[in-house]
Amino acid sequence: MFTLRPARETDRAALYRICLETGASGEDATHLYADPLILGHVYAGPYLTYAPAFAFVLEDQRSGEVMGYVLGTPDTAAFEATLERGWWPPLRDLYPDPAAVPRAARTPDERIAHLIHHPPRAPHDVLAEYPAHLHIDLLPGAQGGGRGRALMTTLLEALRVAGVRGLHLGVGESNVRAQGFYRHLGFQELRRAPGAVTFGLRL
């Protein structure tokens, strides 16, 4: 049995752990990263800090363990600006910029550190129609049974209440299972780049 509830600050460690354990296109990435926190610094932590009203978790009622999450923000452009002011600067002090290391030679940690120093910005044409975005991850023990759909439905309703007209998300090009999940929920493919696919949904 699982409980779906709003995320709390006390869930932060669990969000980071889930982010790492699903960080290789849905598979465990623990063996890939020397720093177990670096992935969560990019894909989990800032949402709990700056958009807590759009963060929800799936908790195992038996163990009390958080097994999945969905994290979003209604205004991607404003969120990016907020992170540039308050989130990235202290992390840039912790992680050196690997810009001098050739892209092909960077370690997984260095690739994430590069995102910390040079965070990608969502394209303006995407934001015009799909201003919100989200991340969703579930550990294997919570997958199936409609739990991913329940997380998505909860966040989508929160975004609708906030007046959001559309959202987008990115998924690894090799993560065919996730792509099928999003298509089943009504997402449409917006663009495709090497290694990544962007989907959008009108609310």
Side-chain angles (χ1 to χ4, degrees):
M1 296 291 291
F2 291 86
T3 298
L4 199 166
R5 61 168 175 79
R8 302 187 286 256
E9 177 57 36
T10 52
D11 298 318
R12 186 173 296 271
L15 299 189
Y16 273 61
R17 175 179 55 82
I18 294 167
C19 188
L20 180 62
E21 292 182 6
T22 59
S25 292
E27 302 296 326
D28 192 352
T30 303
H31 63 290
L32 298 177
Y33 294 93
D35 185 330
L37 300 180
I38 193 169
L39 209 60
H41 285 326
V42 174
Y43 296 111
Y47 297 87
L48 188 60
T49 297
Y50 294 109
F54 303 93
F56 301 91
V57 300
L58 199 64
E59 183 180 89
D60 187 327
Q61 292 180 358
R62 296 163 297 183
S63 65
E65 182 181 3
V66 174
M67 298 289 288
Y69 61 69
V70 63
L71 309 168
T73 180
D75 186 334
T76 297
F79 187 72
E80 290 172 344
T82 296
L83 299 196
E84 191 59 43
R85 291 191 301 270
W87 185 258
W88 301 129
L91 290 174
R92 288 168 182 162
D93 291 337
L94 289 176
Y95 299 100
D97 186 351
V101 180
R103 183 187 300 268
R106 290 173 191 161
T107 66
D109 290 70
E110 287 173 334
R111 288 197 291 270
I112 301 302
H114 189 268
L115 295 179
I116 290 171
H117 285 269
H118 310 278
R121 297 297 182 98
H124 290 296
D125 60 326
V126 171
L127 295 184
E129 297 295 329
Y130 308 96
H133 77 270
L134 65 84
H135 297 287
I136 180 172
D137 289 302
L138 288 87
L139 294 176
Q143 294 174 9
R147 298 182 187 103
R149 174 184 284 274
L151 279 171
M152 290 288 289
T153 299
T154 300
L155 176 60
L156 295 181
E157 181 57 27
L159 291 171
R160 288 189 185 98
V161 170
V164 176
R165 62 183 179 275
L167 79 155
H168 69 279
L169 56 84
V171 61
E173 191 175 26
S174 63
N175 196 344
V176 178
R177 179 180 178 185
Q179 292 175 37
F181 170 71
Y182 297 129
R183 286 193 172 95
H184 191 66
L185 291 175
F187 283 81
Q188 302 293 319
E189 183 176 325
L190 301 179
R191 60 179 60 195
R192 187 175 288 259
V197 184
T198 301
F199 287 90
L201 178 71
R202 296 184 188 277
L203 300 178

